[in-house]
Amino acid sequence: MAVERTLSIIKPDAVANNFIGEIYSRFEANDLRIVAAKMALLNKTQAEAFYAVHKERPFYSMLIEFMISGPVMITVLEGEDAIAKYRTLMGATMPEFAAPGTIRYDLAREGKANENAVHGSDAPETAAEEIKFFFKPEEICYRTR
Ligand code: CMP
């Protein structure tokens, strides 16, 4: 397995519910190292650009309104098999279908159906694009120890 980087967004619902620490604990307990992080209140242009791939989907406008409804925590994670590992930790996209023990089951099931706590890149190419969307190369820290 290769060391990969992936982009995580802790979404406005999870930030509002004070789950940043709980989610970061899960990263660290699963050997996903945080190598860059920032909080941001996205504007509509940023959210639309980030999710441009979904712009023809019926849920697009709802997704954009949700993503700009409050601050998000944007994090680059690094580790062995980080992309797939983080997707397993997140669980199925819609919290109602997520397996017990996953972030979306544990931390998003009680909320609105379309509010699913976290985003994670789905493949190496999208991870690279999504990381570049939010971070300059010099904002990513090498873990020297
Ligand atoms: P995310 O992993 O950020 O990728 C795209 C997002 O679109 C997804 O999480 C959900 O927040 C949202 N999404 C996907 N499918 C639906 C749906 N059927 N209804 C509402 N939102 C959705």
Side-chain angles (χ1 to χ4, degrees), residues 102-115:
T102 62
I103 292 171
R104 286 169 171 156
Y105 180 92
D106 292 342
L107 307 179
R109 211 166 21 102
E110 310 283 318
K112 293 187 194 163
N114 66 317
E115 300 198 349

Side-chain angles (χ1 to χ4, degrees), residues 23-142:
I23 294 170
Y24 271 22
S25 294
R26 292 181 187 215
F27 295 160
E28 293 185 327
N30 287 279
D31 295 322
L32 290 170
R33 296 183 292 278
I34 295 164
V35 293
K38 64 174 128 187
M39 180 175 265
L41 181 53
L42 300 180
N43 62 38
K44 200 166 185 183
T45 307
Q46 286 173 304
E48 286 178 345
F50 184 79
Y51 280 118
V53 67
H54 295 304
K55 70 171 179 290
E56 305 303 334
R57 308 287 284 274
F59 57 81
Y60 182 65
S61 58
M62 190 196 292
L63 171 62
I64 300 307
E65 290 309 313
F66 166 46
M67 290 303 294
I68 65 173
S69 67
V72 295
M73 196 73 202
I74 310 164
T75 307
V76 179
L77 301 172
E78 183 181 80
E80 291 277 333
D81 204 21
I83 296 167
K85 186 188 270 189
Y86 179 39
R87 290 185 71 79
T88 301
L89 287 182
M90 288 193 297
T93 302
M94 305 316 279
E96 60 193 294
F97 300 120
T102 62
I103 292 171
R104 286 169 171 156
Y105 180 92
D106 292 342
L107 307 179
R109 211 166 21 102
E110 310 283 318
K112 293 187 194 163
N114 66 317
E115 300 198 349
N116 63 349
V118 279
H119 166 81
S121 311
D122 63 3
E125 303 73 35
T126 43
E129 280 169 25
E130 291 179 359
I131 291 168
K132 207 162 99 185
F133 187 91
F134 286 114
F135 293 95
K136 298 182 190 133
E138 63 269 26
E139 291 177 315
I140 301 174
C141 298
Y142 288 93

